[in-house]
Amino acid sequence: MPSRRSILAGSAAAAFMAGAGSVSRAEASPGGLDRAALQEALDRIVATGATAALARVDGPAGNWRGASGVVELGRPARPVAGGRFRVGSITKTFVATVVLQLVGEGRLRLDDTLERWLPGAIPNGARITIRDLLQHTSGVFNYTQVLFETVEEVLSARYHTFRPEELVALAAAQPPVFEPGTAWEYSNTNYVLLGLIVRRVTGHAYGKEVDRRILRPLRLHGTEVPGTDVTIDGPHAHGYEPFEQDGEIVPLDFTDLNPSMAYSAGEIVSTTADLNRFYRSLLGGRLLRRAQLAEMLNPVGEERYGLGIYQQPLPGGPTLWGHSGGIFGFVTFSFSTPDAATQASVSINPWLGDFSPALIDLLLAAFGVTAPAARAAAPAVRLPAPGFRLPGA
């Protein structure tokens, strides 16, 4: 299976096409952004296969936020541009930041072994380093591949409270994918292990450290580590997964779920404004010391993955830094220019088909790419979105 999944969204079902044309008015401040192009691209994301989409751009050219679609199928209410959503694997950048802060404080080292901090957690833990976990070169099996093998298993796990040790045990029961440090493959287990290491080093749950070290200092009031809270507090659009019923594919509302299934690999809830501020602060040097930020931004392999963050080429524009993520009913992308000047975040509630061309157009507009040659090359851009989906979705 591919190491990181390309996004599929899609041709809209009749169940929501009537509501998909309900578009919010874009909100913006004066500046040089092409707001019409941004809103048109956001509307096209919905038209080609999402029930709702939110986006925000912040930078020297101006600030803009927009929304499109509906809050919930069957209801005409429009989503709130500043609404909240599940960010999935973008959680990994928050966790990596905390780990690297601990490295900068001398409380652990990137070359420390997994066995040192979590003895016996993984059979070959003495050969796996903290760096391997952060950059997905550990070879540790991805627990979600066995936890969510069938639709029935997903539905059974939806409201179940998982202990992180249970998730690790699922991976530990499987053979390594490869020898540590010899290859690259995305594994959610890596970041569950890192969350447990943060707890071992600090004596606090990783979520408390994220709150103390990142959320409160940056005043990210729309962001939380929900733990076992199955609901999303505050304004939010509903998320859906395709479900076969009586021989037809119908939308299954998956907005509520127990995020302990993702733990430190993907449980955070946030807003587009908070994600933009987080990546601006991170790449601007506010959260990490220079040495640790340099380590984070040292990508490996064809995937260009650093430590909890990856590079995303943009034709005719800058090579961006950021992350993407997906968890049932939600897909999110958040990127920044390397100089921390401009950020763009997009939250999508996908349905069937392919909205990636519209998403790429939105990113091109967000980062000021207007050259025809660059836009002609855009269809070749791959936007990975690792995450949790129903089997076959």
Side-chain angles (χ1 to χ4, degrees), residues 34 54 57 83 105 170 205 213 223 254 262 264 275 304 321-322 333:
D34 188 340
L54 313 176
V57 181
E105 294 163 10
L170 291 173
R213 294 167 175 269
T223 303
F254 234 97
S264 47
L275 290 181
R304 302 183 183 91
W321 282 103
F333 300 83

Side-chain angles (χ1 to χ4, degrees), residues 13-16 51 73 239-245 248-254 350-352 390:
F16 74 87
T51 56
L73 296 182
Y240 300 87
E241 288 290 324
F243 184 72
E244 186 173 350
Q245 181 176 320
E248 295 184 2
I249 300 298
V250 298
L252 176 63
D253 193 325
F254 234 97
W351 190 231
L352 309 171
L390 281 187

